[in-house]
């Protein structure tokens, strides 16, 4: 018995090679095996997002990040700002920090603001936003972290923001007090 040949599209083939976290070396190896695909990864991400295929979005973004694919930051910001249901915002936030996407500062801060009421008690997304803003490190990014260290934010978030800025003692935080 012969099985029917399944025709794989290029995006299916490339996506099948992405399993979990990729080092830069892993990503370069995939790019070398499939030359020319770096230029279309962003459009594949956009198409997958439009279709609500979040698993594909995440895999392709994880491939594109260590390759520093042009346009990745912009498409991830669009997706993050869309508020789409089922989206793993934490991964996109991590990648925006990893690639130090300066233009993503406002999007990252909005993601934290929008999640604070649902993110309790650990505030994972807010923690990732703080970390990514710290990686970006621009004056605008640091100002967002300073705002998150303000009294209007829950203590757990304020603690993480203060630690990122190195001002936890100035704000009167003791580690046991906030982190239990």
């Amino acid at each position: 018995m012969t099985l029917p040949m399944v025709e794989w599209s290029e995006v299916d083939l490339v996506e099948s090679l992405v399993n979990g976290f990729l080092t830069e070396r892993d990503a370069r190896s995939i790019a070398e095996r499939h030359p020319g695909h770096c230029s279309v990864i962003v459009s594949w991400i956009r198409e997958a997002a439009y279709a609500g295929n979040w698993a594909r979005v995440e895999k392709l973004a994880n491939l594109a990040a260590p390759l520093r694919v042009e346009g990745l930051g912009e498409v991830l910001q669009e997706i993050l700002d869309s508020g789409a249901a089922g989206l793993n915002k934490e991964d996109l936030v991590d990648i925006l920090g990893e690639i130090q996407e300066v233009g993503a500062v406002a999007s990252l801060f909005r993601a934290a603001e929008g999640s604070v009421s649902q993110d309790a008690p650990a505030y994972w997304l807010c923690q990732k936003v703080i970390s990514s803003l710290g990686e970006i490190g621009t004056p605008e990014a640091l100002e967002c972290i300073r705002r998150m260290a303000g009294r209007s934010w829950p203590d757990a978030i304020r603690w993480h923001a203060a630690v990122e800025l190195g001002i936890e003692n100035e704000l009167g935080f003791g580690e046991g007090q906030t982190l239990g």
Side-chain angles (χ1 to χ4, degrees), residues 8-117:
W8 282 38
S9 70
E10 290 297 317
V11 66
D12 292 325
L13 187 60
V14 171
E15 179 188 12
S16 73
L17 300 172
V18 180
N19 294 311
F21 175 78
L22 291 177
T23 64
E24 183 177 347
R25 183 177 178 187
D26 297 332
R28 295 238 175 266
S29 175
I30 292 170
E32 287 168 6
R33 283 188 272 164
H34 299 277
H37 289 95
C38 283
S39 62
V40 295
I41 290 176
V42 169
S43 64
W44 288 345
I45 292 171
R46 189 170 274 118
E47 289 171 18
Y50 182 75
N53 186 343
W54 304 120
R56 177 170 280 178
V57 167
E58 290 174 35
K59 282 185 167 190
L60 294 175
N62 281 321
L63 172 61
L67 297 173
R68 301 294 195 244
V69 172
E70 187 176 331
L72 177 63
E74 291 85 10
V75 75
L76 295 184
Q77 286 174 148
E78 290 171 20
I79 295 168
L80 188 60
D81 284 340
S82 76
L87 171 65
N88 182 346
K89 293 178 183 177
E90 291 177 13
D91 284 351
L92 300 187
V93 166
D94 273 343
I95 292 169
L96 288 167
E98 176 188 337
I99 64 173
Q100 297 178 324
E101 182 59 43
V102 172
V105 170
S107 293
L108 291 167
F109 188 73
R110 282 192 299 272
E113 285 180 312
S115 77
V116 73
S117 64

